[in-house]
Amino acid sequence: MQLGLVGLGKMGGNMRERLRNAGHTVVGYDRNPDVSDVASLVDLVDRLEAPRTVWVMVPAGAATHGVVQQLATLLKPGDTVVDGGNSRWTDDEKHAKQLGARGIGFVDAGVSGGVWGLKNGYALMVGGEKECVDRLKPVFDALKPEGPYGYVHAGRVGAGHFAKMVHNGIEYAMMQAYAEGWELLEKVDSVDNVREVFRSWQEGTVIRSWLLDLAVDALDDDEHLQKLRGYAEDSGEGRWTVEAAIDNAVPLPAITASLFARFASRQEDSPQMKMVAALRNQLGGPAVEGASLGGGGGGGGGAGDDGPGPLLMSAGARCSYNHEPTRAPAPEGT
């Protein structure tokens, strides 16, 4: 099959190679002339035979909007555009309407696999009309991993990117869980080989995963992660996942907490913790580091003899005014 591919970065370039290895003809365009097969989008479209398919792999937002707008003027009725980037599903609906007015089909494809996709294949979550999706099945089959899994026609336009968004939200939470476990293991004196503990989990445990394998690889490179700064960006899809949960009244406590943890990582001197420290000091708590804040009544505590008071107690402490201890949860079955 013949395919135009716009955007030849790490993923797009590897996808071009994987498709060519499977026998497909791929004409690639990128602003970097060193990797591009043609000089412009116009040249790319001219090189393709009708009905044309152009797969877009550029950053979500303005870059994708711009490419789709250009393709809308260059392609003809019966052609198809595939957005394989990390666009928001609501953008898919707009693009499908814009292209559909000109008789051009639109398919959204959530793509997962990163830099390993060339060798291992890409997981594909696809949205769009059945006719358009079915015509592209040879391309999807070439890109996905070997075997029966790794590809799904998730539903109508927007479903592919929505599924990929939820996938990335789950990824946020899984990363956060591994990170929290690692920090706790590093903190205690009794565990002196945290890296090998993580390695021992790679076989036979219920938490084994590709992310765990990558964590072990990272610890092999830098056993205590001393070369890294504790700062984590977010791609935007975690935010979209939480927003979709709010819109649909679906509780996502783990994914939401993992997103907020990334926000916290960007604060070298947390404004929120300044307020918490100030309140603890006012209530007669421990001394505040780096500042001397007055008040609080000293010694016994400004909130009375019970210390910090109900509003600032930890969840593991007492949780009711009659000071009855909370009941411990029953152990899980695994």
Side-chain angles (χ1 to χ4, degrees):
M1 184 171 176
Q2 192 182 56
L3 182 77
L5 184 57
V6 181
L8 302 172
K10 290 181 179 178
M11 283 189 71
N14 283 344
M15 289 169 63
R16 175 175 63 175
E17 185 174 348
R18 185 174 175 90
L19 286 166
R20 286 176 174 174
N21 290 342
H24 295 284
T25 300
V26 182
V27 181
Y29 168 68
D30 193 276
R31 289 185 300 178
N32 178 1
D34 294 335
V35 299
S36 189
D37 299 319
V38 292
S40 68
L41 275 179
V42 174
D43 293 339
L44 180 144
V45 172
D46 287 344
R47 288 268 297 271
L48 300 175
E49 299 175 0
R52 304 168 187 82
T53 298
V54 180
W55 188 303
V56 180
M57 287 294 293
V58 301
T64 297
H65 295 326
V67 172
V68 170
Q69 287 176 357
Q70 285 183 271
L71 291 174
T73 64
L74 296 172
L75 296 176
K76 304 297 182 183
D79 295 343
T80 303
V81 172
V82 181
D83 179 4
N86 282 330
S87 294
R88 191 166 183 163
W89 81 97
T90 50
D91 289 343
D92 296 328
E93 296 166 356
K94 297 173 185 176
H95 291 155
K97 184 176 180 179
Q98 177 185 5
L99 294 168
R102 296 174 176 265
I104 302 167
F106 178 82
V107 172
D108 60 288
V111 182
S112 180
V115 295
W116 302 272
L118 173 59
K119 177 181 177 182
N120 300 329
Y122 301 89
L124 302 170
M125 295 141 272
V126 176
E129 296 297 328
K130 187 177 185 301
E131 180 181 355
C132 291
V133 171
D134 287 349
R135 189 168 70 82
L136 297 172
K137 194 64 165 50
V139 172
F140 299 141
D141 286 340
L143 288 172
K144 78 176 193 64
E146 294 183 9
Y149 306 115
Y151 161 81
V152 61
H153 182 186
R156 62 176 183 266
V157 166
H161 280 146
F162 194 94
K164 177 59 167 27
M165 177 195 74
V166 174
H167 165 281
N168 283 19
I170 293 170
E171 180 184 323
Y172 275 43
M174 291 175 67
M175 285 182 174
Q176 185 65 25
Y178 285 127
E180 291 174 6
W182 173 80
E183 182 178 359
L184 181 57
L185 287 166
E186 285 276 339
K187 189 74 172 180
V188 300
D189 293 333
S190 58
V191 180
D192 57 16
N193 202 343
V194 176
R195 178 178 61 187
E196 295 309 310
V197 170
F198 262 58
R199 198 187 310 279
S200 75
W201 293 343
Q202 289 181 278
E203 299 292 341
T205 71
V206 297
I207 63 167
R208 63 189 185 274
S209 73
W210 186 20
L211 281 176
L212 177 62
D213 295 341
L214 295 176
V216 172
D217 289 345
L219 295 174
D220 281 339
D221 291 339
D222 180 8
E223 183 173 357
H224 301 289
L225 303 184
Q226 295 171 324
K227 302 174 185 177
L228 299 176
R229 177 186 169 200
Y231 179 103
E233 271 291 359
D234 66 285
S235 65
E237 291 189 298
R239 303 184 190 208
W240 301 342
T241 305
V242 172
E243 290 170 2
I246 294 170
D247 291 341
N248 291 278
V250 175
L252 299 185
I255 292 174
T256 303
S258 68
L259 174 65
F260 287 177
R262 295 195 183 196
F263 295 164
S265 78
R266 303 167 200 170
Q267 297 179 322
E268 294 183 3
D269 189 15
S270 169
Q272 294 177 24
M273 289 304 104
K274 289 181 180 181
M275 176 56 74
V276 171
L279 288 171
R280 294 189 73 205
N281 180 259
Q282 291 291 327
L283 292 167
V288 178
E289 292 187 11
S292 177
L293 299 178
D305 294 337
D306 288 333
L311 290 178
L312 295 181
M313 284 183 177
S314 69
R318 303 176 188 275
C319 65
S320 59
Y321 288 103
N322 63 12
H323 285 186
E324 301 222 345
T326 56
R327 181 175 298 173
E332 294 186 11
T334 56

